[in-house]
Amino acid sequence: MTDRRLTPFNGRVAALHLKGTVAAERFAKPEAHRVVAPLSDLRAAPDGPRERQLLRGETFLTLEARDQMVFGYAEKDGYCGWIAAADLTGAPPEAPTHRVKVARSYGKSTPGLKAFGSVTPLSLGMRLPVLETAEGWSRIAWSRGAAPRDLFVPSGHLAPLDSPETEPVRVAERLIHTPYLWGGNSAFGIDCSGLVQAALPACGIPCPGDSDLQEKGLGDTLPPGTPPQRGDLMFWKGHVAWVADRDTLLHANAFHMAVASEPIAEALRRIAAQGDGPVTRHARLT
């Protein structure tokens, strides 16, 4: 049985590569578009709830547009769904060159530390096209069209896309105290699987979108009783957490309503007591 989340087919249109495997009214060649909104909710249906989010600069492969919504899938992980068509319009033609490496930053309409200017919030992981850098500020292409607009970002908050980080947990730790948001993928709201997906791609490691997909696809399974070490992943039914050290977890969770550090022993007791059972998999990335 195919997984709806990873099968670009909505009952009418399917991606061309599915021809012969699903019965669709038509098959379409995906068209690549970059997300222009700071955040775009990805939904299972045009009027459905948020399942995941896409960040500014990520690529969405479109198959069908209906009623101001677009069906397709995210290039980074193949996650399918609907996003607002307006979230794809107005993207600058310049390709992203850098990513935001700090938890939260901003783009300002003027360069300079004390210069007045309107401010646009930016999240960890957003992908931005840097046009030039001078005196500690990077000018980025933000929008094009009738009223072209560039923004200025502190250069120290950015990293080149071709320079990945080396330690996922260090990336995830930047998001401590970020509010918990079901389906969230940003520094303004994130869930457990979003925290894993924020950290691994920053290190050049592909990562699925949901915790069950991550449990199936990430790392090597360790035997029960293996001492945890930094960088391991622990999975429960519907939940995932980073191991920060042999005694501590780091995870986005609804108990704290935030990304929080928690003693492993305490988390095991609490999660079992609330009815979510024991750890279903302990994995180590290789």
Side-chain angles (χ1 to χ4, degrees):
M1 184 177 179
T2 58
D3 190 323
R4 172 195 59 77
R5 296 167 297 177
L6 301 177
T7 306
F9 172 50
N10 64 10
R12 288 180 305 275
V13 63
L16 194 59
H17 70 266
L18 293 179
K19 199 167 187 177
T21 63
V22 300
E25 295 175 14
R26 67 183 182 90
F27 294 85
K29 181 179 179 180
E31 296 183 4
H33 297 268
R34 280 197 296 275
V35 175
V36 67
L39 287 170
S40 183
D41 287 341
L42 184 61
R43 309 175 182 203
D47 58 352
R50 174 183 57 253
E51 292 203 326
R52 294 252 52 92
Q53 290 179 316
L54 297 177
L55 299 174
R56 167 88 185 197
E58 291 184 335
T59 299
F60 189 69
L61 300 164
T62 67
L63 297 169
E64 180 184 43
R66 294 173 72 94
D67 302 324
Q68 300 181 325
M69 298 293 289
V70 178
F71 176 75
Y73 56 100
E75 182 182 59
K76 66 179 179 182
D77 58 9
Y79 207 112
C80 302
W82 295 82
I83 69 172
D87 291 351
L88 299 175
T89 59
E94 296 88 350
T97 59
H98 289 67
R99 58 183 168 80
V100 178
K101 68 177 183 179
V102 296
R104 286 164 289 275
S105 186
Y106 58 86
K108 197 156 65 75
S109 58
T110 55
L113 186 64
K114 297 182 179 180
F116 176 80
S118 59
V119 170
T120 300
L122 304 175
S123 168
L124 175 79
M126 286 185 180
R127 298 159 64 91
L128 307 170
V130 172
L131 303 177
E132 62 180 354
T133 298
E135 298 180 349
W137 293 85
S138 293
R139 181 168 67 90
I140 64 166
W142 188 255
S143 61
R144 293 294 181 259
R149 183 182 176 207
D150 293 341
L151 295 179
F152 296 87
V153 180
S155 298
H157 291 181
L158 303 175
L161 292 177
D162 59 2
S163 295
E165 307 228 17
T166 58
E167 190 184 350
V169 177
R170 183 176 297 171
V171 179
E173 285 171 336
R174 295 170 200 161
L175 295 172
I176 288 177
H177 305 310
T178 296
Y180 180 84
L181 176 68
W182 180 270
N185 277 87
S186 82
F188 308 115
I190 202 163
D191 67 6
C192 64
S193 53
L195 186 64
V196 175
Q197 200 174 48
L200 287 178
C203 298
I205 303 171
C207 179
D210 288 342
S211 61
D212 63 323
L213 300 173
Q214 294 169 357
E215 183 172 6
K216 291 176 183 177
L218 294 177
D220 296 326
T221 301
L222 300 173
T226 301
Q229 70 179 34
R230 184 174 174 87
D232 287 356
L233 290 167
M234 286 189 169
F235 294 92
W236 291 256
K237 183 180 179 181
H239 189 59
V240 60
W242 284 109
V243 174
D245 58 50
R246 64 175 297 144
D247 299 312
T248 312
L249 292 181
L250 176 69
H251 56 154
N253 64 92
F255 177 78
H256 296 96
M257 283 306 294
V259 176
S261 294
E262 185 174 12
I264 291 177
E266 183 178 309
L268 292 173
R269 288 192 297 269
R270 178 177 60 75
I271 292 172
Q274 70 189 28
D276 292 325
V279 171
T280 56
R281 183 171 182 249
H282 177 190
R284 185 159 295 163
L285 300 174
T286 55

